[in-house]
Amino acid sequence: MSFVSTRGSKPTTLDAALLAGLAPDGGLFVPTELPRFEFRDFADCHDCATTAEVLLAPFVAGTPLEPDLAAISAETFSFPVPLVCLGADAPHVLELFHGPTAAFKDVGARFLAACMARIAALDAARPITILVATSGDTGGAVAAAFFERRGFEVAVLFPSGRVSARQQQQLTCWGGNVHAFEVAGSFDDCQRLVKAAFADTELNERYRLSSANSINIGRLLPQSVYYANAALQHLRATGKPLSLIIPTGNLGNGLAAVLARAIGLPIGQIVFATNANKTIPDFLSTGEYQSRESLATLASAMDVGNPSNMERLRHLFGEADALNRQIRAVSVDDAAIRQSLRATFAQFGMIVCPHTATGFHAWQKLSPTTRDADDWAIVATAHPAKFDDIVEPLLGQNVPVPPALAELLGRPAHATRIEPDLGALQNGLMRPEQ
Ligand SMILES: *Cc1c(COP(=O)(O)O)cnc(C)c1O
C-alpha cells in the first residue's frame, strides 16, 4: 500500500510517511487506496491487539514493519479498551482511557513509538528528538511512549496556564530523555514554534527532529482498531452495527472511525461532538470551510479552531455535500458541558471528563427515533480524574484516581519556561533541565 500527500506529492510507504510526519509539500499523508474487509476476516480477533494484526496488515505490507506487526500491536494495545453497557435505554460507552496517561492518545503514541523504534536509524550518540506541541493530552502520551527508549529524546511544548494541573504533571514528571517546555503563550504559539523548528535546517539536522503530533499517519491508523474491535464485538453480541458519538477537536479520532467504517467495519452512524469551537459543524452546514482562532473551553483538549485532519477527511471522503451524507457534527458549549456532566452522573451514576460530556450531550440531543433505532456508543476520550479541577466542584464528588495516573502524580516535576520564540527553544534544547 502506498501513501500520498493530500496536496499531491509522489507516493511513499508507511514507514517513510511515519518518519516524515508531514509530507514535503506541507500536506498530510493518506493511503492511496482503502482495503476492504469482511466480517469473517476478523473471525479470530477478540481483542484490540489481534484486531490490529488483521486491520493494519494491508497498510504495513511490504514495509520493514510487516514482520513485526504482531509485536507492535501487542505493545500498543497492552491495556483494555472496554465497550461498557450502561443498561437498557442507555448508550454504551467506549472507554479509551485505560492506558498509561488515561486518554486515548496513548494508543497512537504507543503505536508510533513501537514503529519508530523499529524503522528509524537509531544512534545513541545522535538521538532522534521527538518535538511535539500539546494542548494537554498528546504530550503526556508521547512522553510516556518514548520514555527511556534508547536513541530518542523528547521535547514537549505546552502552553503555560492552559492545561489542567494533572495534565501538566503528566507532561513534566518524566526526567531522563523527556524535556518539558512551558511556553508563555497559547497552544497555537506552541504549534508555530514547532513548525519554525522543523523549517530550520540546521536545528533539524543537529537534533534529528521528528514529529509525533496528531497529523502523523502513525497516530491515526491504530485508532481505527478500537472502533473495529468494539463494533465487531457488538455485532457478534447483538447482530447490529454500532453507531458512534465522538468528542472531536483536531479530528484524528473522528477520522479514524470514518476510516474504519469505510474499510468495511460494522459501524452505523457517526456523530462528531465539538465544543464551542464549531469550525466543523459550520463547515457541514454552510459548505464553506472557515478556520477560526481557537476559543478556550472546559473541554480544552478539543480547543481547535482549524482541525488539521479536516484536510484528510475532505481528501478521502469529499466536500460538505458528500460528508453530510456520511457524518454529522454538533457543537456543545460550556453551559451544556456542565449540564451534561451533572446529568450523566445523576442518570447513569457515571463520572465523565468534560470532553466525554460533549458526547453525552450530543446523545441526549438525538431525536428519539434516531436514538432508539440504533445502538449508540459514546466515546470516552479521557479519564475524569485528569480534569478533577473541573469535574469535582461541579459534581461535589471526589473522582477516584486510576493507579497508573496516581503513580505519575507522585513523581517530582520539572519544566523549562520559555518565551514563544525559536531562539528560546534552541537555548532550551541545548541546556535542557533534568
Ligand atoms: C485529543 C483529545 C480529544 C480530541 O481528539 P481529536 O483526535 O483531536 O479530535 C478529545 N478528548 C480528549 C480527552 C483528548 O485528549
Side-chain angles (χ1 to χ4, degrees), residues 153-154 172 174-181 413-417 427-434:
E153 299 277 318
V154 181
T172 55
W174 301 96
N177 65 335
V178 177
H179 314 291
F181 293 95
H414 300 283
T416 307
R417 297 176 66 97
N427 282 336
L429 286 171
M430 266 160 57
R431 288 183 293 278
E433 233 176 70
Q434 283 302 315

Side-chain angles (χ1 to χ4, degrees), residues 87-98:
D89 301 326
H92 292 71
V93 179
L94 181 59
E95 294 185 351
L96 305 184
F97 53 67
H98 295 281

Side-chain angles (χ1 to χ4, degrees), residues 103-105 137 247-254 301-302 353 355 381-382 387:
F104 77 86
K105 294 194 176 73
D137 289 330
T248 293
N250 223 0
L251 194 51
N253 208 12
M302 294 159 37
C353 85
H355 312 83
T381 50
F387 305 94

Side-chain angles (χ1 to χ4, degrees), residues 88-324:
D89 301 326
H92 292 71
V93 179
L94 181 59
E95 294 185 351
L96 305 184
F97 53 67
H98 295 281
T101 68
F104 77 86
K105 294 194 176 73
D106 281 323
V107 171
R110 287 162 74 80
F111 180 79
L112 191 64
C115 290
M116 279 198 177
R118 287 167 169 89
I119 54 183
L122 296 181
D123 174 356
R126 274 194 78 231
I128 290 174
T129 301
I130 305 290
L131 181 62
V132 63
T134 184
S135 61
D137 289 330
T138 289
V142 168
F146 284 92
F147 179 56
E148 292 187 330
R149 274 197 192 263
R150 290 179 52 180
F152 292 99
E153 299 277 318
V154 181
V156 178
L157 277 58
F158 67 94
S160 185
R162 298 276 286 251
V163 301
S164 84
R166 284 184 176 167
Q167 281 178 321
Q168 177 151 346
Q169 174 68 17
Q170 285 183 324
L171 298 169
T172 55
C173 71
W174 301 96
N177 65 335
V178 177
H179 314 291
F181 293 95
E182 179 173 356
V183 177
S186 65
F187 171 60
D188 294 329
D189 292 324
C190 296
Q191 261 188 323
R192 264 192 284 277
L193 207 48
V194 167
K195 280 197 186 135
F198 278 105
D200 185 313
T201 323
E202 200 207 305
L203 203 66
N204 228 315
E205 277 167 17
R206 163 127 47 115
Y207 294 101
R208 299 184 68 198
L209 295 182
S210 188
S211 91
N213 64 20
S214 74
I215 51 120
N216 195 306
I217 187 77
R219 296 259 313 264
L220 183 69
L221 293 176
Q223 292 176 174
S224 293
V225 170
Y226 43 70
Y227 294 123
N229 184 57
L232 290 163
Q233 180 189 328
H234 189 72
L235 188 75
R236 283 186 201 111
T238 65
K240 290 177 75 179
L242 189 64
S243 291
L244 298 165
I245 300 179
I246 305 172
T248 293
N250 223 0
L251 194 51
N253 208 12
L255 178 58
V258 180
L259 194 66
R261 185 175 60 183
I263 61 181
L265 276 304
I267 294 168
Q269 304 189 49
I270 296 177
V271 177
F272 300 150
T274 72
N275 57 24
N277 291 281
K278 52 195 177 85
T279 306
I280 300 170
D282 283 352
F283 169 60
L284 292 176
S285 61
T286 66
E288 297 283 328
Y289 186 77
Q290 190 75 58
S291 78
R292 309 252 167 74
E293 285 289 307
S294 67
L295 304 170
T297 75
L298 291 172
S300 56
M302 294 159 37
D303 290 349
V304 183
N306 186 15
S308 358
N309 280 298
M310 203 66 215
E311 186 166 329
R312 268 195 185 115
L313 183 76
R314 293 164 76 181
H315 181 94
L316 290 169
F317 299 103
E319 291 301 319
D321 278 350
L323 289 173
N324 274 314

